Amino acid sequence: MPGGSLLNSGGMGDYGGGGGLTFPVVVTCLMAASGGLIFGYDIGISDIAIFPRSNEPEGPEEDAKDEALVPSSNRTTAHASKDVYCIYNDQALTAFTSSLYAFGMVGTLVASRVTRRVGRQAIMLIGGSMFLVGALINAAAANIAMLIIGRMLLGLGLGFSGQATPVYLAEMAPPRWRGGFISGFPLFISVGYLIANLINYGTSRIPLWGWRLSLGLAALPAAVMVAGAAFIPDTPSSLVMRGKHDLARAALQRVRGKGVDVDAEFRDILAAAEHDRRNDDGAFRRILRREYRPYLVMAVAFPVFLNLTGVAVTAFFSPILFRTVGFESEAALMGAVILGLMNIGGILGSGFAMDRYGRRLLFMIGGALMFACQVAMASIVGSQLGHGSKMAKGYAVTVLVLTCAFSASFSWSWGALYWAIPGEIYPVEVRSAGQGVAVALNLGLNFVQAQCFLAMLCCFKYGTFLFYACWLVVMTAFAVAFVPETKGVPLESMGHVFARHWYWGRFVKDQKFGDVST
């Protein structure tokens, strides 16, 4: 990227500038990060679509219409295979969950096209509003068509907010604490997931209309996001890209603090925007060029590897997994609540650690722990869970403990860094495209995972865990070898890090840095 005044003032080893930790920047970033609530809530609440509620009655004839809409697996599992790995393998049950991610992918691609014109703050506001309307439609659904329309709006809302929020946080946060602020987004995802599972636990005891309450309460986190987005300013980079230089400088001064000299940082933002205007041939076409190869690779690799961690086991289907290994309904739902608490603990730890110890260490620790958990679960499940049998309670509790450890390790590493690193590495001229590709691909793969995991569990059985364990080795090696350390680097100087990387330097230095080794 052009610029580098911040970097030149302190050298590559001392990234100064960016102002202090001010009250306005904390409030602004927290309100923006609250958009993660809708992500987490929908992931958790989707369990209501596939998780059987043991107290769901047959229903009198006058309740038949409402009962037909209940997204429960009770009506199908009675005829399911006796194989405990396959008892919930019904694609009709997962369609309700997975359809949201298909529409989320569409929403992300649309948002990445229009965010340049309307700004990041407006995209978050639009996304939250669509999710709010979708939640209300789902709660009031009188037929399947209304449920589908509601899911479409929910997906579009997720796509819009997921595209804009991490980039907003990266552009607003001071470089020294950027990792922690971006971690606010996955932290709110974990909080939303925990809240959703607590609600699932409560509404599982309400016959017929409990599912409406679960789906309808998604309007609350959406309302929080809409209120937050309505009262925060747009980012300086986004305002400069739209020619609003005075507003951009005022926004930068506000979040960096009164009396802080923002001239150097603002000059870098202006230089990056000017470079973008000189090369105005479309961000999506531009990111395909050779000089942007590192950013395209990261935009593809991060969502692919995120989905190959095996997080689908714990995020989408944890109650199903716990039922499979022998827990009863309420115990399985409570297990999902415990997972939510572990997610929050992992994200909090990551937020404190990544800006102190760097990103690469988190990848290594998280990858090693997740690998160990997956191998251990494969060993226990493979040896203790047979055709038509349930696992002994002691082993089932061990699986729960391992799943919790896996969940915390994921949150500590890929769960937090997936949002932090892609949100901060892209040059401004391809930032919307890079983030759009990453989030759209992630949502598309979420769709595939939600559609295929139950069938995969039925087919591979305990080998499913070994499949993910093998990929954990690959992705940890990739992170160590190819993901440069970005701790404390200002956004406008991020290109220098790639230019000095042992591999990516052959691409980035051809663009505009030349030989930076001297």
Side-chain angles (χ1 to χ4, degrees), residues 57-101:
E58 292 298 324
E61 291 185 5
E62 58 268 22
D63 292 327
K65 181 179 179 181
D66 206 42
E67 184 183 6
L69 288 173
V70 176
S72 170
S73 60
N74 279 12
R75 292 183 295 275
T76 59
T77 53
H79 304 289
S81 168
K82 291 183 179 180
D83 189 336
V84 292
Y85 291 103
C86 305
I87 191 170
Y88 299 112
N89 182 26
D90 189 323
Q91 289 302 305
L93 301 177
T94 57
F96 181 84
T97 300
S98 60
S99 61
L100 176 135
Y101 300 104

Side-chain angles (χ1 to χ4, degrees), residues 62 67 99 157 186 213 215 265 293 306 310 331 376 414 418 430 445:
E62 58 268 22
E67 184 183 6
S99 61
L213 182 61
L215 297 178
E265 185 176 3
R293 187 71 50 78
L306 180 77
W414 283 91
Y418 167 76
V430 295
L445 292 172

Side-chain angles (χ1 to χ4, degrees), residues 11-203:
M12 283 296 290
D14 181 20
Y15 296 98
L21 194 62
T22 65
F23 180 74
V25 76
V26 171
V27 173
T28 298
C29 289
L30 282 177
M31 295 179 77
S34 67
L37 284 172
I38 65 175
F39 261 84
Y41 189 90
D42 195 82
I43 291 173
I45 215 64
S46 293
D47 291 333
I48 207 73
I50 57 175
F51 190 63
R53 294 186 293 283
S54 58
N55 64 340
E56 181 184 310
E58 292 298 324
E61 291 185 5
E62 58 268 22
D63 292 327
K65 181 179 179 181
D66 206 42
E67 184 183 6
L69 288 173
V70 176
S72 170
S73 60
N74 279 12
R75 292 183 295 275
T76 59
T77 53
H79 304 289
S81 168
K82 291 183 179 180
D83 189 336
V84 292
Y85 291 103
C86 305
I87 191 170
Y88 299 112
N89 182 26
D90 189 323
Q91 289 302 305
L93 301 177
T94 57
F96 181 84
T97 300
S98 60
S99 61
L100 176 135
Y101 300 104
F103 290 109
M105 180 174 61
V106 174
T108 299
L109 295 175
V110 172
S112 61
R113 290 284 187 178
V114 301
T115 187
R116 181 188 179 97
R117 299 185 184 91
V118 303
R120 320 240 187 256
Q121 181 258 0
I123 291 295
M124 290 189 293
L125 184 60
I126 295 170
S129 300
M130 287 192 293
F131 195 94
L132 175 60
V133 175
L136 296 176
I137 291 176
N138 271 351
N143 50 53
I144 297 298
M146 287 185 68
L147 280 175
I148 294 174
I149 292 172
R151 294 296 282 182
M152 289 173 60
L153 289 172
L154 291 174
L156 293 172
L158 286 183
F160 270 62
S161 60
Q163 193 278 334
T165 303
V167 174
Y168 182 98
L169 293 169
E171 291 180 346
M172 292 296 271
R176 181 178 176 184
W177 295 284
R178 187 175 58 244
F181 277 109
I182 300 178
S183 293
F185 187 68
L187 174 62
F188 275 102
I189 292 177
S190 297
V191 171
Y193 178 77
L194 174 62
I195 293 172
N197 279 293
L198 286 170
I199 291 173
N200 278 350
Y201 185 78
T203 59

Side-chain angles (χ1 to χ4, degrees), residues 5-19 174-176 178 256 261 264-265 268 488-491 493:
S5 55
L6 291 174
L7 184 141
N8 293 336
S9 66
M12 283 296 290
D14 181 20
Y15 296 98
R176 181 178 176 184
R178 187 175 58 244
R256 295 295 181 255
D261 185 4
E265 185 176 3
D268 277 344
V489 182
L491 291 184
S493 300

Side-chain angles (χ1 to χ4, degrees), residues 121-466:
Q121 181 258 0
I123 291 295
M124 290 189 293
L125 184 60
I126 295 170
S129 300
M130 287 192 293
F131 195 94
L132 175 60
V133 175
L136 296 176
I137 291 176
N138 271 351
N143 50 53
I144 297 298
M146 287 185 68
L147 280 175
I148 294 174
I149 292 172
R151 294 296 282 182
M152 289 173 60
L153 289 172
L154 291 174
L156 293 172
L158 286 183
F160 270 62
S161 60
Q163 193 278 334
T165 303
V167 174
Y168 182 98
L169 293 169
E171 291 180 346
M172 292 296 271
R176 181 178 176 184
W177 295 284
R178 187 175 58 244
F181 277 109
I182 300 178
S183 293
F185 187 68
L187 174 62
F188 275 102
I189 292 177
S190 297
V191 171
Y193 178 77
L194 174 62
I195 293 172
N197 279 293
L198 286 170
I199 291 173
N200 278 350
Y201 185 78
T203 59
S204 66
R205 308 182 182 200
I206 303 175
L208 294 178
W209 60 271
W211 66 276
R212 291 188 183 276
L213 182 61
S214 293
L215 297 178
L217 285 176
L220 293 182
V224 171
M225 180 183 176
V226 171
F231 289 100
I232 58 177
D234 208 346
T235 68
S237 293
S238 181
L239 290 168
V240 166
M241 295 291 287
R242 289 179 285 140
K244 301 178 179 180
H245 291 191
D246 292 340
L247 290 176
R249 185 179 182 86
L252 183 62
Q253 190 72 67
R254 179 174 179 269
V255 296
R256 295 295 181 255
K258 293 181 179 180
V260 175
D261 185 4
V262 298
D263 288 344
E265 185 176 3
F266 191 63
R267 282 198 300 270
D268 277 344
I269 294 174
L270 290 175
E274 178 61 28
H275 173 77
D276 175 62
R277 279 190 287 269
R278 289 199 304 267
N279 297 272
D280 189 14
D281 58 352
F284 280 95
R285 288 194 297 272
R286 188 180 304 163
I287 201 172
L288 296 176
R289 294 179 185 174
R290 172 183 168 82
E291 57 265 33
Y292 293 99
R293 187 71 50 78
Y295 312 111
L296 179 61
V297 170
M298 298 296 172
V300 173
F302 267 76
V304 169
F305 286 146
L306 180 77
N307 282 271
L308 289 173
T309 58
V311 68
V313 178
T314 57
F316 296 141
F317 303 109
S318 54
I320 298 296
L321 177 63
F322 296 147
R323 280 294 294 268
T324 298
V325 299
F327 286 100
E328 298 300 326
S329 299
E330 291 188 1
L333 284 171
M334 185 52 66
V337 171
I338 296 173
L339 286 184
L341 292 172
M342 299 301 295
N343 284 334
I344 292 174
I347 292 291
L348 287 173
S350 180
F352 284 110
M354 71 170 68
D355 287 323
R356 176 171 294 185
Y357 303 110
R359 279 67 162 154
R360 288 157 61 92
L361 180 63
L362 272 63
F363 275 126
M364 289 187 285
I365 295 175
L369 291 175
M370 285 191 289
F371 174 81
C373 290
Q374 293 282 28
V375 172
M377 283 192 288
S379 176
I380 294 174
V381 173
S383 63
Q384 299 298 320
L385 196 63
H387 186 84
S389 66
K390 282 190 175 183
M391 186 179 294
K393 185 175 181 180
Y395 287 107
V397 172
T398 303
V399 170
L400 173 61
V401 172
L402 288 171
T403 306
C404 289
F406 173 88
S407 184
S409 302
F410 169 80
S411 299
W412 162 272
S413 54
W414 283 91
L417 295 172
Y418 167 76
W419 298 104
I421 293 180
E424 67 186 2
I425 62 171
Y426 304 118
V428 67
E429 61 269 21
V430 295
R431 193 167 293 159
S432 61
Q435 187 68 8
V437 169
V439 177
L441 184 56
N442 180 46
L443 289 169
L445 292 172
N446 287 166
F447 171 81
V448 174
Q449 288 268 34
Q451 279 290 320
C452 297
F453 172 70
L454 292 179
M456 184 178 177
L457 183 64
C458 179
C459 180
F460 291 172
K461 298 179 171 50
Y462 66 89
T464 302
F465 301 100
L466 296 177

